[in-house]
Amino acid sequence: MSIRNDIERVLINEQQLHDRVITLGERIAQDYGGRPLLLVGVLKGAVPFLADLARAIDAPVEMDFMAVSSYGNSTHSQGYVRILKDLDDIVIDRDVLLVEDIIDTGLTLSYVLDLLRQRAPASLRVCALLDKQKVHAKHLHPDYTGFPVEDEFVVGYGLDYAQRYRNLPFIGVLKPEIYR
Ligand code: 5GP
């Protein structure tokens, strides 16, 4: 059973993802001037992006992960954020780059940013693969963005619907009958 049959259209293909991640990685390595960097990934959606991005950054990189929940199994934000797993590492005095799969309402991002800021990192920036570019309540703008996307529900390359489709190598839109 191919999961690709559930996709109505491909928004960003594998080559486009690859090319953009390489560009982002080069820019990040340059901006940090070779300083060690802690990549913080928000589980589970950021995993494929973070894994590819880390390999595109030619500088000392460490990785750590947090898990938060804001969506459950639905396709609409439930308006709250809960920590399911905290970081293993200490972030004080470190250059931290928060890696997110997608910014929709910005609720998850602002929650995680507030939390990390309280831990006094040397610097804190955000790299989001996708940005729905809504007028975020807290005026959140990622320092690095992969692609702007329309306000529609997307899956693939880490993004799920009911925990599936994270392993698609591209970003796409599901057929409407899948939601029903
Ligand atoms: P926010 O807090 O910005 O509204 O939502 C962020 C989180 O909601 C993302 O990290 C992601 O897990 C989920 N999310 C938001 N938009 C989408 C989408 O279009 N597709 C999928 N699969 N998840 C999304």
Side-chain angles (χ1 to χ4, degrees), residues 42-46 68 70-71 74-75 77 80-81 100-110 130 132 134 136 140 149-156 158-162 164 166:
V42 181
L43 293 172
K44 304 166 191 163
V68 299
S70 59
Y71 259 42
S74 87
T75 56
S77 183
Y80 66 88
V81 179
E100 259 278 32
D101 49 3
I102 188 166
I103 304 177
D104 182 2
T105 62
L107 184 79
T108 311
L109 181 64
S110 72
L130 307 176
K132 286 192 180 169
K134 291 184 181 167
H136 302 304
L140 295 170
V149 285
E150 298 294 316
D151 187 12
E152 61 186 336
F153 192 78
V154 296
V155 295
L159 290 154
D160 74 307
Y161 173 64
R164 290 196 186 173
R166 294 192 198 275

Side-chain angles (χ1 to χ4, degrees), residues 116-129:
L116 292 177
R117 230 177 256 122
Q118 288 166 22
R119 299 178 185 180
S123 70
L124 180 58
R125 288 187 186 171
V126 176
C127 179
L129 178 66

